[in-house]
Amino acid sequence: MTAEQFKIDGMVCASCAQTIEKAVSKLPGVTVANVNLAAERMKVEFADQALAPAEVIQAVVNAGYGAELAQELTQENVAAERDEKAVKLTQQRNAMIGALIGAAVLMYVAMAGDLHLPTVMWLNPMMAPATASLAELILALPVLWLGRDYLIKGATTLFKGHPNMDSLVFVGTGTAFLYSLVNTMLIWTTGTQQPLYFEASATILALIMLGKYFEALSKQKTTTSMTSLLTLVPKMADRVNADETVQSVPVNKLQVGDTILVKSGQTIPVDGQVLTGQTTVDESMLTGESLPITKMSGDRVIGGSTNKNGQITYQATHVGNDTALAHIVKLVSDAQGSKAPIARLADKISGVFVPVIMAIALVGGLAWLISGQSLAFSLTIFVSVLVIACPCALGLATPTAIMVGTGLGAKHGVLFKNGAALEQLAQLDTVVLDKTGTITQGQPQVTDVITNGERNQVLQLAASLEYYSDHPLASAVIDAAAAQRQSVTNFTTLPGLGVTGQIAGTTVALGNAKLMQQQNVAASPLFDQAAALSTAGKTLIYVAQAQKLVGVLGVTDPIKADSPAAIKRLQHLGVDVVMLTGDNRPTAEAIAAQAGIKQVISDVLPEGKADAIKALQQQGHKVAMVGDGINDAPALVQAEIGVAIGNGTDVAVDSAEVILMNSDLSSLVTARELSHKTMINIKENLFWAFFYNVLGIPVALGLLYLFGGPLLNPMIAAGAMGFSSVTVVLNALRLNRFKIKKLTLPERKLS
């Protein structure tokens, strides 16, 4: 499969997005066509070599819109696009101001006589209807010209058979203008007074331009998080040449293997490994970790982080699109362009909204005309319904909140791969935590050695076998052994049990109690002595030689400092927390007690983790699995939402939908609370969008007038329509107030 991102131009409402999606989805080989109204982007997935991007662009153009391949997400390209949008926004503002001034002058001319305001006689419709009508026509034309893009787009999409919001504006203002134009001709030919709606058509258009300008202004702010990520990378870097000279070069010219000098206060340009020097680095904008991290020779550094103090040289290991920051930006961009399942209802409604509104407006106007009202009255009903009913708010309700939410997540070190992950994380009721590296630090240490013989000899046997093992505890055993390792033959790994091998002609087995049973190791008092270590929460590694138990190692992987508080916070949020581990039951329960976890699933082999998740799902739970993204991949895929623990550079974990750049569990709390806040925001947006139309359309149809109330003026309807879209975007921007709560504060359950 191939995926391409396209930049879309000319969309004004959710109907536009629906039209483009339908047009592109009809192309051969297309499997997904996803349009984001707020981001003005379209993601298309299609079979390899089955479709050229030019065909997609042509399909969009045929639908009445503009399209081009989205440029690579670089600082330069984003800056150029930002400048382009700034120019368009300035042009939009100037046209809007001109239209408002023109509409205000026209309204004064049309209404001055009725309001007894100062005016000249030849502009008074009551005294000089012919010249006044001509003046109103002349004043209306510049406003229509300034808003011509809306009218042209509305006419084009209407005649192509897929009307949008602009079509409603075109029909509404066009009907009012043509009706007034015909009446102007009657005034000049008969000399009789006729109703005119030039000021209504011009003011409607001007107010819509005002609303769209504020909408565009607000939408710009929803992308600030991703833009701020891109600006982290400096434009220049100090490269150390082979002759030890330092040369300032553009960052995009750096290559893997280059040596780079970074002084105190400078930004690290690309990913790499420290060669010389020592410093502290602020990685907060990438990982959400507030405290600077000490870096010395051999440590990895991330492009975009800030060198706080000290000077280092480091070797570039990843440049360009391969850096951690580039991966983060791509993930955020993809997430912001995706749709959450909650948006499906709005999409379905938007797809038929405009034709239905046109039918309602026509039926409503005819009904009033048949009931005995004048043509002018019926026309007011018709225009008001067309103008007030706009699907913009529906189309913006979900994507604006998704864009702000995913951007905020990246700012706090939480990467959501798509909108569905953001939604599902808010709905889960159970979190399953892998023990090693998730609850614990992932850096185990040998704390106890029980033996009947020589301590160093037991450690030597254990370290000799563990040297060939990739088990997480292997390094702890090797570090604890001061004695020289012995050669091993016939080394065998037994997943979930341990390892075996031949040392000095005898078979040595190293692993858990199950392995000892399998190897028929004889009973020994050491088994009973080891029980106390297991009760204390230590992992036991049994060492047997020639089927005799010669020693037991007690290994402890300390719990991360924030794990108990984070787990407690998740529980207060109404989430059941489960620990999943391969440790035996006593050890697992001891560690769980330290972390504050009540439910433990122990003695699970690596291949059994997915089955454990499935069992919880069969009980009706919506499960999130949190692990390292490699050994836990099957379980991450099985869960409704897979959460991978990262380390600041591991951002491309295929098996997870959410990546925590900071390996602390506090990031999981942040992800859960942010997803909850975002979903509340989306529901608020959808409610107000639906409520606006449910309330506005009956009022526009004359419901209040039936009961002695006022008739809705089309100009007020236009203002209300623009206000609805701006309100949705501004509500989404409220998410920027999201703050990470201190885990030590009193907690309460989410309402």
Side-chain angles (χ1 to χ4, degrees):
M1 297 296 293
T2 299
E4 294 283 3
Q5 289 275 354
F6 294 85
K7 179 183 174 184
I8 306 298
D9 184 52
M11 293 190 298
V12 292
C13 67
S15 295
C16 302
Q18 288 281 302
T19 297
I20 295 170
E21 286 181 351
K22 290 178 181 178
V24 175
S25 296
K26 292 178 181 178
L27 295 174
V30 172
T31 56
V32 175
N34 219 356
V35 176
N36 186 311
L37 174 64
E40 298 179 342
R41 288 286 191 274
M42 174 176 64
K43 182 180 181 181
V44 180
E45 294 181 4
F46 48 88
D48 291 340
Q49 299 178 345
L51 190 67
E55 296 177 73
V56 176
I57 293 173
Q58 189 59 50
V60 176
V61 171
N62 292 340
Y65 303 89
E68 61 182 82
L69 271 173
Q71 292 183 320
E72 185 180 329
L73 285 170
T74 64
Q75 188 173 350
E76 293 77 11
N77 289 340
V78 169
E81 185 174 334
R82 185 174 62 245
D83 293 341
E84 180 185 345
K85 286 185 177 181
V87 171
K88 288 184 177 180
L89 195 61
T90 300
Q91 294 172 343
Q92 189 177 355
R93 181 197 64 194
N94 294 340
M96 175 266 297
I97 292 174
L100 287 174
I101 293 173
V105 173
L106 175 54
M107 188 177 295
Y108 185 91
V109 170
M111 304 181 68
D114 294 335
L115 299 176
H116 304 291
L117 297 173
T119 184
V120 295
M121 184 183 69
W122 60 273
L123 288 179
N124 191 323
M126 303 298 295
M127 299 180 181
T131 55
S133 63
L134 182 60
E136 290 184 30
L137 171 60
I138 294 173
L139 288 171
L141 290 175
V143 179
L144 297 181
W145 173 255
L146 290 170
R148 65 190 180 280
D149 288 344
Y150 297 93
L151 302 178
I152 293 172
K153 181 69 70 176
T156 301
T157 54
L158 179 63
F159 296 139
K160 282 181 176 289
H162 39 75
N164 62 3
M165 184 212 80
D166 284 345
S167 301
L168 299 179
V169 175
F170 168 72
V171 174
T173 58
T175 301
F177 181 82
L178 289 176
Y179 177 80
S180 302
L181 184 62
V182 171
N183 282 352
T184 298
M185 296 172 64
L186 289 174
I187 291 173
W188 277 82
T189 56
T190 65
T192 58
Q193 186 76 34
Q194 299 291 337
L196 301 177
Y197 286 94
F198 287 123
E199 81 283 0
S201 61
T203 304
I204 287 171
L205 193 56
L207 288 174
I208 287 170
M209 292 170 69
L210 175 66
K212 298 304 288 184
Y213 171 74
F214 280 120
E215 178 186 316
L217 197 64
S218 301
K219 280 163 62 177
Q220 272 195 338
K221 298 178 181 178
T222 63
T223 59
T224 53
S225 294
M226 192 174 72
T227 303
S228 64
L229 283 174
L230 284 166
T231 57
L232 291 176
V233 179
K235 294 183 178 180
M236 304 296 290
D238 291 335
R239 184 176 64 192
V240 182
N241 298 322
D243 59 359
E244 299 298 323
T245 60
V246 178
Q247 180 184 7
S248 182
V249 298
V251 170
N252 57 13
K253 299 296 183 183
L254 292 175
Q255 297 180 354
V256 173
D258 283 348
T259 299
I260 302 165
L261 170 67
V262 183
K263 299 177 182 178
S264 178
Q266 290 184 333
T267 300
I268 295 171
V270 295
D271 298 355
Q273 189 171 27
V274 177
L275 296 174
T276 63
Q278 180 175 331
T279 187
T280 55
V281 176
D282 180 5
E283 298 179 347
S284 59
M285 281 299 293
L286 297 168
T287 65
E289 173 59 62
S290 58
L291 297 177
I293 301 171
T294 300
K295 302 286 184 178
M296 59 185 67
S297 179
D299 290 337
R300 301 172 73 182
V301 290
I302 312 172
S305 55
T306 304
N307 183 18
K308 299 297 290 183
N309 50 62
Q311 179 173 299
I312 59 171
T313 62
Y314 75 97
Q315 185 178 53
T317 56
H318 299 85
V319 299
N321 291 332
D322 292 330
T323 64
L325 180 60
H327 284 301
I328 292 171
V329 170
K330 186 179 185 305
L331 284 174
V332 174
S333 177
D334 289 345
Q336 291 186 339
S338 65
K339 287 187 177 181
I342 196 173
R344 291 171 185 164
L345 177 61
D347 285 346
K348 290 179 180 179
I349 293 175
S350 299
V352 297
F353 191 86
V354 173
V356 169
I357 289 302
M358 285 185 167
I360 291 174
L362 183 60
V363 171
L366 289 174
W368 280 107
L369 188 63
I370 294 172
S371 69
Q373 291 292 344
S374 66
L375 180 60
F377 183 97
S378 299
L379 183 64
T380 299
I381 295 292
F382 178 72
V383 174
S384 295
V385 173
L386 289 177
V387 172
I388 200 170
C390 170
C392 290
L394 283 175
L396 292 169
T398 301
T400 49
I402 293 292
M403 290 175 71
V404 176
T406 52
L408 274 174
K411 180 180 178 181
H412 293 299
V414 178
L415 300 182
F416 296 95
K417 285 192 175 180
N418 49 57
L422 193 63
E423 178 177 342
Q424 290 173 340
L425 193 60
Q427 297 172 345
L428 63 89
D429 57 33
T430 303
V431 169
V432 177
L433 303 176
D434 180 50
K435 187 202 76 173
T436 305
T438 301
I439 298 173
T440 64
Q441 294 178 7
Q443 297 176 341
Q445 302 171 351
V446 175
T447 57
D448 301 89
V449 179
I450 302 175
T451 177
N452 290 328
E454 179 62 36
R455 181 179 187 275
N456 287 340
Q457 183 181 359
V458 171
L459 285 173
Q460 185 184 49
L461 290 173
S464 299
L465 281 175
E466 292 286 34
Y467 180 76
Y468 298 93
S469 172
D470 59 358
H471 192 277
L473 300 183
S475 60
V477 176
I478 294 171
D479 291 342
Q484 187 176 1
R485 294 188 301 272
Q486 296 177 273
S487 61
V488 178
T489 59
N490 298 326
F491 177 83
T492 304
T493 298
L494 303 172
L497 299 173
V499 295
T500 61
Q502 294 284 324
I503 298 178
T506 60
T507 299
V508 178
L510 180 78
N512 56 24
K514 290 182 180 179
L515 178 63
M516 298 299 105
Q517 294 175 2
Q518 186 191 80
Q519 296 292 312
N520 296 317
V521 174
S524 168
L526 294 180
F527 282 109
D528 296 330
Q529 296 177 36
L533 297 180
S534 179
T535 304
K538 298 182 180 181
T539 299
L540 303 183
I541 300 178
Y542 296 89
V543 184
Q545 187 175 29
Q547 296 182 317
K548 293 182 180 180
L549 188 65
V550 295
V552 182
L553 309 182
V555 182
T556 297
D557 185 3
I559 290 178
K560 294 176 183 177
D562 75 326
S563 289
I567 290 166
K568 181 181 179 182
R569 176 64 181 166
L570 287 170
Q571 292 166 339
H572 276 274
L573 295 177
V575 178
D576 292 333
V577 181
V578 180
M579 187 177 81
L580 182 63
T581 178
D583 285 348
N584 60 58
R585 190 73 185 178
T587 300
E589 288 183 343
I591 294 173
Q594 296 175 37
I597 298 175
K598 299 177 182 178
Q599 188 173 351
V600 178
I601 302 176
S602 61
D603 299 295
V604 180
L605 298 177
E607 61 270 21
K609 289 185 177 181
D611 293 332
I613 299 295
K614 189 182 296 184
L616 290 171
Q617 291 171 326
Q618 290 172 346
Q619 296 172 19
H621 296 291
K622 293 183 178 180
V623 182
M625 171 67 193
V626 186
D628 61 16
I630 301 172
N631 298 328
D632 302 311
L636 292 173
V637 173
Q638 177 63 42
E640 274 82 6
I641 187 80
V643 182
I645 292 284
N647 60 2
T649 56
D650 185 17
V651 298
V653 184
D654 294 333
S655 53
E657 290 84 19
V658 179
I659 301 170
L660 307 180
M661 295 290 289
N662 184 341
S663 60
D664 292 340
L665 279 180
S666 56
S667 294
L668 179 61
V669 177
T670 299
R672 163 70 179 186
E673 293 186 327
L674 180 57
S675 67
H676 181 80
K677 293 288 186 183
T678 303
M679 294 312 301
I680 288 178
N681 192 276
I682 289 175
K683 291 175 182 177
E684 290 172 349
N685 282 347
L686 288 173
F687 170 80
W688 287 113
F690 282 117
F691 179 78
Y692 165 81
N693 284 289
V694 168
L695 180 65
I697 293 173
V699 172
L701 283 169
L703 179 64
L704 296 180
Y705 185 82
L706 279 175
F707 297 96
L711 188 66
L712 182 65
N713 189 298
M715 291 180 283
I716 297 177
M721 186 214 70
F723 178 74
S724 68
S725 298
V726 174
T727 300
V728 164
V729 179
L730 291 178
N731 187 52
L733 289 173
R734 286 196 310 113
L735 282 171
N736 284 314
R737 300 178 184 175
F738 175 81
K739 302 292 183 184
I740 297 178
K741 296 180 180 179
K742 293 182 179 180
L743 297 179
T744 54
L745 294 176
E747 298 98 348
R748 56 187 178 87
K749 290 187 177 181
L750 293 173
S751 56

